[in-house]
Amino acid sequence: MAVEQDLLSTEIVNRGIESSGPDAGSMTFSVRVRRRLPDFVQSVNLKYVKLGYHYLINHGIYLATIPVLVLVFGAEVGSLSREELWRKIWDSTAGYDLATVVAFLALFVFTISVYFMSRPRSIYLLDFACYKPSDDFKVTRDQFIELARKSGKFDEASLEFQRRILQSSGIGDETYIPKSIGSPENTATMKEGRAEAATVVFGALDELFEKCNVRPKDVGILVVNCSLFNPTPSLSAMVINHYKMRGNILSFNLGGMGCSAGVIAVDLARDMLQANPNNYAVVVSTEMVGYNWYPGKDRSMLIPNCYFRMGCAAMLLSNRHRDHRRAKYRLEHIVRTHKGADIRSFRSIYQEEDSEKFKGIKISKDLVEIGGDAIKTNITTLGPLVLPFSEQLLFFSTLVWKILFGNGAKSQSTKPYIPDYKLAFEHFCVHAASKTVLDELQRNLKLSDKNLEASRAALHRFGNTSSSSIWYELAYLEAKERVKRGDRVWQLAFGSGFKCNSVVWKSLRKIRRPSRNPWLDCIDRYPHGDFQA
């Protein structure tokens, strides 16, 4: 029972004065009870720690052995003078004929060549673009409710519920939605979906190709992710048709993978670039709002209406070494975790019909708890790859202590040491799902307001743009000119499945304020207050 209470938080809402009845004139208020993220400090699943160290050892064994070999060789050579060294080399090789020496040198060159050819290629992010809709699509929170009322699809109780959600959502008055949602007609049509997709996807790609000075025909790999709108032909085919891309392009279309699909798309593009040298890859992350508009009365399905807004991000990746000079970032790590084996996680975000046969996305009341467990798994696996040695030593020592003395009364009160991720990253781009989720993540990971400033600003200015939100957040950091050479950026996204995915980038240069950026007209207004203005 105590554990259950720890997962709940209370908030006093709807303060006021009773206007009628026997209690007229007295103060009234309501108490809202919410589920919280599980406290990451209370439990750490050791198998995910082991998985992280397994990744580290696989890639770090060379770093452990090569310095030792160099030291031994250096000590041996350093003890000899130049004349003695040449005499020793001559004496040791004089006994071999020319063919043996040539064969040895050929084998040595072959081995070195195989090593350099087989090691993973560096993947560079040349640039990215985030689509900013025109002001015709901009709505305030009050205008949003009026559009919903105008559609005639909601009763007063449903409208009031959506109004309350918006008030505590962290979303501001300058987000973007398709005007079609105010229509009394059905907006979830293929025509509306294709029109919205063409607007946001082509808008982002036009900007990307212009910024990078790359022709669409130069792109060899294309990955498009959109969770809920999957027409035939696919969105990736729509892009190829619009830009007349080359016939041998490797194209992929990811559907139904939720708000974390943007990291999955980058992971797929990375794998394809590793297998196809000297190539460009374009990744497009988006979601269609109008097509997924829910017109019913089920409150768990009305929640997505309030949060999701128009948005799209397009990224250009390269594996060409010569692009190192003009690239912004280098890909360092991708860690993906999936909780779909658990039925509660699998059904936490579920597309289905309500009792009136209206299609929508049902949000489980346990979503925050389920999401917290997935996030904990992901960051526990990521930790050994990115944390400094001092943090890993403290973390590992507390785990060993708990294992060795786990039966003692004293050890029961000893909590596992949660590493300070602020020592691993300079910048955080956490998926802007909702204000509640960001608040709980900040509390659990002990992040500062500045660490989550980009996430809160993106939620306030653009709303929840699904898989593209982490790119609007990186655009915010670039508009503020906060990214310096060598800085590490952590993008953390989570969504249906239930999945949680991380990608880590390293800045290759100081990022100046771009000439095209969705924040340029409003960046000086952020951060402001509690992002509720």
Side-chain angles (χ1 to χ4, degrees):
M1 185 64 182
V3 174
E4 179 68 18
Q5 290 177 350
D6 289 340
L7 296 178
L8 301 177
S9 64
T10 58
E11 177 185 3
I12 297 177
V13 296
N14 300 331
R15 297 177 185 267
I17 299 177
E18 187 67 35
S19 59
S20 61
D23 298 324
S26 61
M27 294 291 295
T28 64
F29 64 89
S30 301
V31 177
R32 176 183 295 155
V33 179
R34 289 175 169 169
R35 297 194 72 84
R36 304 170 61 174
L37 288 180
D39 192 344
F40 294 170
V41 177
Q42 295 298 328
S43 63
V44 174
N45 197 327
L46 188 57
K47 69 177 181 179
Y48 297 115
V49 179
K50 291 167 61 178
L51 180 61
Y53 280 107
H54 173 72
Y55 291 155
L56 179 66
I57 291 172
N58 279 351
H59 295 87
I61 190 66
Y62 304 107
L63 298 177
T65 56
I66 291 177
V68 175
L69 295 176
V70 170
L71 287 174
V72 172
F73 179 76
E76 179 68 23
V77 172
S79 62
L80 302 174
S81 65
R82 181 178 300 180
E83 292 77 11
E84 291 174 332
L85 178 62
W86 282 111
R87 187 182 306 111
K88 195 164 189 174
I89 293 175
W90 176 259
D91 292 341
S92 61
T93 57
Y96 298 98
D97 55 23
L98 181 61
T100 303
V101 174
V102 170
F104 172 78
L105 291 176
L107 179 62
F108 178 76
V109 171
F110 176 76
T111 303
I112 295 297
S113 301
V114 168
Y115 168 75
F116 282 103
M117 292 176 64
S118 61
R119 69 174 184 171
R121 298 179 178 86
S122 294
I123 305 299
Y124 302 106
L125 173 63
L126 270 63
D127 212 333
F128 66 97
C130 296
Y131 176 67
K132 181 185 176 184
S134 66
D135 288 345
D136 294 339
F137 298 100
K138 187 181 293 186
V139 295
T140 65
R141 286 169 289 188
D142 290 338
Q143 288 172 339
F144 176 89
I145 296 299
E146 287 307 311
L147 281 173
R149 188 190 306 277
K150 179 182 175 182
S151 70
K153 298 171 183 175
F154 305 101
D155 56 24
E156 285 300 319
S158 297
L159 291 171
E160 182 58 28
F161 174 76
Q162 293 181 81
R163 188 191 303 276
R164 292 200 308 269
I165 291 292
L166 283 172
Q167 288 174 349
S168 60
S169 64
I171 293 176
D173 286 328
E174 294 184 283
T175 58
Y176 304 91
I177 60 172
K179 294 301 181 182
S180 61
I181 69 168
S183 169
E185 304 296 329
N186 178 25
T187 62
T189 63
M190 297 301 292
K191 180 180 179 180
E192 291 290 345
R194 289 183 187 277
E196 184 180 345
T199 300
V200 299
V201 172
F202 298 156
L205 284 172
D206 287 346
E207 180 181 335
L208 179 71
F209 290 136
E210 180 182 339
K211 289 170 73 173
C212 297
N213 195 25
V214 170
R215 300 178 306 165
K217 286 187 177 293
D218 295 333
V219 177
I221 299 162
L222 173 66
V223 184
V224 179
N225 72 268
C226 181
S227 185
L228 297 172
F229 179 61
N230 293 285
T232 299
S234 66
L235 293 177
S236 60
M238 184 182 75
V239 171
I240 293 170
N241 175 263
H242 180 79
Y243 290 100
K244 309 305 176 188
M245 291 176 156
R246 65 198 203 195
N248 64 342
I249 189 171
L250 303 175
S251 67
F252 303 87
N253 199 92
L254 304 180
M257 305 198 78
C259 298
S260 65
V263 179
I264 299 173
V266 171
D267 191 20
L268 176 58
R270 176 189 66 171
D271 290 344
M272 297 309 300
L273 285 171
Q274 293 291 358
N276 296 273
N278 197 35
N279 242 312
Y280 286 126
V282 165
V283 175
V284 180
S285 295
T286 188
E287 191 58 82
M288 300 305 110
V289 177
Y291 182 77
N292 301 302
W293 183 253
Y294 172 66
K297 299 178 178 62
D298 189 317
R299 294 194 172 186
S300 66
M301 292 183 170
L302 285 170
I303 295 175
N305 282 5
C306 302
Y307 281 101
F308 286 96
R309 297 292 186 267
M310 293 177 68
C312 179
M315 295 70 73
L316 181 65
L317 305 176
S318 172
N319 59 9
R320 305 190 307 178
H321 184 70
R322 61 179 176 272
D323 285 327
H324 176 274
R325 293 183 178 180
R326 68 185 186 118
K328 284 186 172 181
Y329 305 93
R330 183 177 65 236
L331 180 59
E332 296 288 297
H333 304 287
I334 293 181
V335 173
R336 294 168 52 186
T337 51
H338 203 304
K339 292 290 188 176
D342 174 61
I343 188 62
R344 290 174 66 245
S345 298
F346 176 70
R347 294 189 65 94
S348 60
I349 303 176
Y350 202 79
Q351 187 178 27
E352 61 182 357
E353 292 83 19
D354 65 9
S355 58
E356 299 180 70
K357 303 302 180 184
F358 290 123
K359 175 174 56 98
I361 303 296
K362 192 162 192 174
I363 305 297
S364 168
K365 63 180 181 180
D366 299 325
L367 179 61
V368 174
E369 178 188 352
I370 290 168
D373 184 58
I375 293 169
K376 181 177 69 174
T377 299
N378 187 269
I379 65 176
T380 304
T381 308
L382 178 68
L385 303 177
V386 298
L387 290 166
F389 180 74
S390 59
E391 289 295 293
Q392 293 198 47
L393 183 62
L394 287 170
F395 178 61
F396 190 72
S397 62
T398 57
L399 285 177
V400 172
W401 179 269
K402 194 171 184 66
I403 292 172
L404 294 179
F405 305 100
N407 296 325
K410 184 178 179 180
S411 66
Q412 296 300 320
S413 61
T414 303
K415 297 179 179 180
Y417 176 75
I418 297 301
D420 185 359
Y421 282 86
K422 297 188 292 295
L423 298 176
F425 307 108
E426 284 72 33
H427 307 288
F428 297 78
C429 297
V430 179
H431 170 47
S434 70
K435 182 178 182 296
T436 302
V437 170
L438 294 178
D439 288 344
E440 290 298 312
L441 275 173
Q442 180 174 1
R443 180 183 64 85
N444 268 280
L445 295 179
K446 296 180 174 59
L447 302 178
S448 67
D449 289 338
K450 190 171 184 178
N451 293 146
L452 284 186
E453 180 184 317
S455 298
R456 295 189 190 280
L459 180 64
H460 183 270
R461 178 62 180 84
F462 293 98
N464 183 340
T465 56
S466 189
S467 57
S468 64
S469 69
I470 55 178
W471 296 102
Y472 284 87
E473 294 161 20
L474 185 54
Y476 176 89
L477 295 171
E478 290 191 353
K480 286 286 189 181
E481 295 189 285
R482 291 181 180 171
V483 183
K484 307 296 191 297
R485 179 185 177 91
D487 282 0
R488 296 153 297 179
V489 180
W490 180 20
Q491 291 180 314
L492 176 67
F494 36 87
S496 61
F498 195 90
K499 300 180 290 293
C500 182
N501 303 314
S502 291
V503 57
V504 179
W505 304 93
K506 185 174 183 179
S507 175
L508 299 177
R509 54 187 168 89
K510 178 179 173 58
I511 308 299
R512 302 292 182 183
R513 181 175 294 186
S515 58
R516 298 190 65 176
N517 185 291
W519 294 92
L520 292 184
D521 66 336
C522 62
I523 191 63
D524 294 332
R525 303 202 309 264
Y526 288 91
H528 61 72
D530 57 357
F531 292 103
Q532 290 287 357

